[in-house]
């Protein structure tokens, strides 16, 4: 993956010129991680059964009244090629919270000692390294049905966020992932599935005895 601070297209050709480029390592899940850590707004997607996280819409958010993207040209719909868990969201939120604190107002920064600021930077660096170096399970990309559409996760599925519990400007709002269906919610489904298996076994045994 190649990233650049400036990209232009020639007027008389289709050539693309990239300036101040950096070649990123070839690592599965890296593009998604970068977007999840630093995108202004992120809406995490799940599959239809809410059993796994399949992607995210990253960009500048949407108008709550109109429900439309503020700047759709800057939105990115991601399809994850690795597994993400709640632990990943916690670590990514820790990164976003640290960035918010370091980008605090000038008056707020003055109240911090230099050692406290340096400590925050060190912790941020270690957390970023931990997230990037973590080995994740590969998965086949699964595309969200309503891609590039914001506000697609029902509010009752969104996990409670702690972003209101700390006094800091929300430069990067914390991620609010939807909760996956847990074992308790699946108990009835699993019980019916087991009953079906038992019926199938009994039917096979009857056929054998005949």
């Amino acid at each position: 993956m190649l990233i650049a601070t400036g990209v232009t297209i020639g007027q008389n050709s289709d050539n693309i010129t990239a300036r101040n480029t950096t070649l990123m390592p070839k690592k599965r899940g890296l593009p998604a991680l970068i977007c999840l850590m630093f995108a202004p707004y992120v809406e995490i997607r799940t599959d239809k059964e809410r059993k796994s996280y399949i992607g995210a819409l990253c960009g500048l958010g949407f108008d709550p009244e109109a429900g439309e993207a503020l700047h759709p040209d800057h939105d990115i719909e991601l399809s994850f090629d690795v597994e993400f868990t709640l632990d990943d969201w916690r670590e990514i939120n820790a990164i976003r919270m640290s960035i918010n604190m370091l980008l605090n107002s000038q008056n707020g920064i003055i109240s911090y000692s230099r050692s406290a600021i340096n400590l925050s930077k060190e912790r941020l660096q270690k957390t970023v390294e931990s997230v990037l170096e973590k080995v994740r399970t590969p998965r086949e990309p699964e595309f969200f049905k309503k891609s590039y559409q914001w506000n697609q996760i029902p509010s009752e599925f969104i996990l409670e966020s702690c972003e209101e519990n700390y006094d800091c400007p929300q430069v990067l709002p914390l991620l609010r992932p939807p909760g996956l269906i847990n074992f308790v919610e699946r108990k009835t489904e699993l019980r019916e599935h087991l009953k079906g298996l038992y019926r199938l076994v009994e039917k096979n045994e009857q056929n054998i005895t005949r």
Side-chain angles (χ1 to χ4, degrees), residues 5-121:
T5 59
V7 178
T8 57
I9 301 178
Q11 294 181 352
N12 301 322
S13 67
D14 294 332
N15 294 335
I16 297 177
T17 302
R19 294 182 173 84
N20 298 325
T21 60
T22 299
L23 183 62
M24 303 298 290
K26 186 178 180 181
K27 182 178 178 64
R28 184 184 288 268
L30 180 60
L33 282 170
I34 292 176
C35 291
L36 292 169
M37 288 189 291
F38 304 116
Y41 286 90
V42 177
E43 182 174 303
I44 299 171
R45 315 293 207 186
T46 68
D47 59 4
K48 186 177 180 180
E49 293 79 18
R50 289 173 51 222
K51 295 178 181 178
S52 62
Y53 298 108
I54 64 171
L57 177 58
C58 305
L60 299 177
F62 67 100
D63 183 347
E65 296 183 359
E68 298 179 354
L70 295 177
H71 297 282
D73 291 343
H74 296 276
D75 290 346
I76 301 175
E77 183 78 40
L78 300 172
S79 295
F80 296 153
D81 58 356
V82 293
E83 297 285 351
F84 283 96
T85 66
L86 286 178
D87 289 335
D88 294 313
W89 306 139
R90 293 189 187 100
E91 286 193 300
I92 292 173
N93 271 342
I95 292 171
R96 295 172 72 92
M97 184 185 296
S98 296
I99 293 174
N100 287 338
M101 295 177 66
L102 291 171
L103 295 178
N104 200 351
S105 65
Q106 189 63 33
N107 292 333
I109 290 294
I110 292 175
S111 65
Y112 299 152
S113 65
R114 184 173 297 276
S115 59
I117 295 175
N118 291 336
L119 181 60
S120 296
K121 290 180 179 179

